[in-house]
Amino acid sequence: MRKVLFIGLLMTALIACAAPAQNAGSGQSEIVVRDAWARPTMSMHGDGGGHGGGQVSAAYMVIENKGSAPDRLISAAGDVAGMIEVHQTTQKDGMMMMEEMKDGLEVPANGSVELKPAGYHIMLMDLKRDLKPGDAFKLTLKFQSGKTIDVNVTVREP
Ligand SMILES: [Cu+2]
């Protein structure tokens, strides 16, 4: 099976090379996600404003784009949390802050982006269950190209 698939890919590549005029500027992204993991549940302390804190976690992974067009991670969904957002961590006056990336996170063509502690992450808020090391859950990543990718996320200590 493997060999047949490989030959198929090679032929696709040859065909693409043979017709460069038609394909110019209309490449496609090809997304692969690996090393997906999430922190165990963290408790956010109440801010005194009545929000009362909540149970949160963050998911990290490497998103690779083997295609010839850039793509963007625009959102993620799953039943593990009530609210899921794509975040970036920033430093402000020596404080670690984080904010939602409203335009999504770019995954360059023929490149990759790493979501990691103190960097980009998928924020899981209002957790629906307690996440302990060894647990796993599913996230569905949505990309600007319209692609969706299901990712199995394993919980472990950072
Ligand atoms: Cu965050």
Side-chain angles (χ1 to χ4, degrees):
M1 274 315 276
R2 256 222 149 95
K3 197 160 202 175
V4 170
L5 182 64
F6 177 71
I7 291 167
L9 287 171
L10 197 66
M11 283 185 64
T12 306
L14 288 173
I15 290 163
C17 288
Q22 282 184 357
N23 280 344
S26 62
Q28 286 204 333
S29 67
E30 195 186 323
I31 303 291
V32 178
V33 176
R34 57 180 168 85
D35 302 336
W37 65 282
R39 297 169 176 279
T41 300
M42 299 180 286
S43 291
M44 289 228 297
H45 297 293
D47 58 5
H51 290 85
Q55 304 295 101
V56 305
S57 176
Y60 310 101
M61 64 199 66
V62 176
I63 304 174
E64 264 186 275
N65 181 359
K66 298 173 185 290
S68 56
D71 209 340
R72 296 186 91 81
L73 171 65
I74 49 172
S75 67
D79 58 12
V80 71
M83 197 172 163
I84 302 178
E85 292 178 355
V86 182
H87 276 191
Q88 67 176 332
T89 308
T90 53
Q91 288 257 11
K92 201 174 180 185
D93 302 326
M95 292 260 292
M96 292 273 255
M97 315 271 287
M98 54 189 188
E99 59 189 11
E100 185 179 8
M101 301 182 75
K102 300 230 183 262
D103 298 326
L105 171 60
E106 171 148 7
V107 190
N110 285 305
S112 67
V113 63
E114 184 176 10
L115 285 68
K116 60 185 179 187
Y120 302 121
H121 55 277
I122 295 172
M123 194 80 203
L124 310 171
M125 291 165 284
D126 185 20
L127 285 179
K128 297 299 181 198
R129 55 197 166 93
D130 195 21
L131 298 179
K132 292 187 277 301
D135 289 350
F137 60 88
K138 199 180 81 171
L139 282 181
T140 302
L141 308 185
K142 291 183 183 147
F143 292 85
Q144 197 169 48
S145 60
K147 291 178 206 298
T148 61
I149 305 233
D150 286 346
V151 181
N152 203 44
V153 183
T154 306
V155 179
R156 66 170 169 85
E157 298 288 347

